Amino acid sequence: TNQSLTCCEGETLILEVNTTIPNANYLWSTSEQSATIEVENPGTYTVEATDGCNTEITTFTVTLYENPIIANVISNNNDIITTTTTQGNYQYSLDGIDYQTNTIFTNMPNGLYTVYVKSLYCNSVVTLQHLHFYIPQFFTPNGDTVNDYFELNDLDYFNSTSVTIFNRFGKLLFSVKNRSVKWDGTLNGALLPTSDYWYLITIDGQEFKGHFTLKR
């Protein structure tokens, strides 16, 4: 008979003989002589069960579920995307508790995350820390608690930061150094109008220039 089994990487699998021969003696291709053996490597294992007259041969083909290897984690706008160098039925999590099969976590706030990846069939979990940083493209300060601020709330993870915001004519509206940003779209208490506004962000010497939209 032939049996196909799968083993998790780093774990052991018990191979057990199922024979119709009572009081049989066993001889495995590993030279073991018990009714069961433990294996941890993929391959083909055979066992001969015999009582001296009758003989049955069983072949076990063991394949391996590879542990995931994280290739990289990137931020694409406000999404966090994980890729692996290995292929398999993997699950992904940002808290080690709630897992999903999708490699993309959408609409994630800025911050330092730990990405967890595990096989659907095995217990081993691999992790990687990822600093998720993106610059919002718009905000709507209307008091509904959704996108009410232009926020950059993870800047304390860097050594040196500065953020300046201008209107289209180059007038300075907002400026901070070495702290997170939570701008409400006002200047000296006055509401600024719906428009595009420009930013210059410097993080550890690297400059980011662009614009975002204030919508009222």
Side-chain angles (χ1 to χ4, degrees):
T1 58
N2 298 301
Q3 294 189 37
S4 296
L5 302 171
T6 307
C7 180
C8 293
E9 185 177 352
E11 299 181 14
T12 58
L13 183 67
I14 296 176
L15 305 184
E16 183 175 4
V17 181
N18 184 13
T19 179
T20 60
I21 300 175
N23 302 315
N25 294 315
Y26 307 101
L27 179 61
W28 292 82
S29 54
T30 59
S31 298
E32 294 169 273
Q33 298 180 13
S34 55
T36 64
I37 64 170
E38 288 189 3
V39 300
E40 59 181 23
N41 296 314
T44 300
Y45 300 85
T46 59
V47 58
E48 182 181 283
T50 182
D51 62 1
C53 294
N54 301 303
T55 299
E56 292 180 356
I57 297 176
T58 304
T59 299
F60 296 87
T61 302
V62 178
T63 56
L64 196 66
Y65 287 124
E66 286 186 299
N67 288 335
I69 298 174
I70 299 175
N72 59 23
V73 180
I74 63 170
S75 296
N76 182 21
N77 292 324
N78 58 355
D79 295 344
I80 298 175
I81 303 172
T82 302
T83 58
T84 58
T85 57
T86 51
Q87 301 296 319
N89 292 318
Y90 297 147
Q91 295 179 308
Y92 305 83
S93 174
L94 293 180
D95 60 8
I97 300 172
D98 296 315
Y99 282 84
Q100 63 182 42
T101 55
N102 194 342
T103 61
I104 303 174
F105 295 89
T106 59
N107 298 318
M108 301 303 302
N110 285 341
L112 183 64
Y113 290 87
T114 299
V115 178
Y116 300 79
V117 185
K118 70 176 183 178
S119 169
L120 185 63
Y121 310 105
C122 303
N123 297 321
S124 180
V125 179
V126 295
T127 63
L128 183 69
Q129 279 198 330
H130 173 66
L131 181 58
H132 177 50
F133 175 73
Y134 73 98
I135 301 170
Q137 299 301 301
F138 71 94
F139 75 116
T140 55
N142 55 13
D144 67 353
T145 72
V146 179
N147 291 327
D148 275 340
Y149 300 93
F150 178 80
E151 290 190 80
L152 299 170
N153 58 10
D154 62 346
L155 297 183
D156 52 331
Y157 292 112
F158 300 98
N159 294 319
S160 175
T161 66
S162 69
V163 178
T164 52
I165 297 173
F166 308 86
N167 66 12
R168 66 178 61 188
F169 306 109
K171 180 180 180 180
L172 179 63
L173 306 175
F174 179 87
S175 179
V176 296
K177 287 187 176 182
N178 297 323
R179 66 179 177 88
S180 294
V181 172
K182 193 173 183 178
W183 186 52
D184 61 1
T186 66
L187 178 63
N188 299 324
L191 300 181
L192 293 171
T194 293
S195 183
D196 283 350
Y197 293 85
W198 298 83
Y199 60 78
L200 173 60
I201 301 171
T202 304
I203 299 177
D204 290 346
Q206 184 177 2
E207 288 190 349
F208 301 87
K209 298 178 181 178
H211 60 86
F212 60 93
T213 303
L214 187 163
K215 297 179 181 178
R216 293 200 183 277

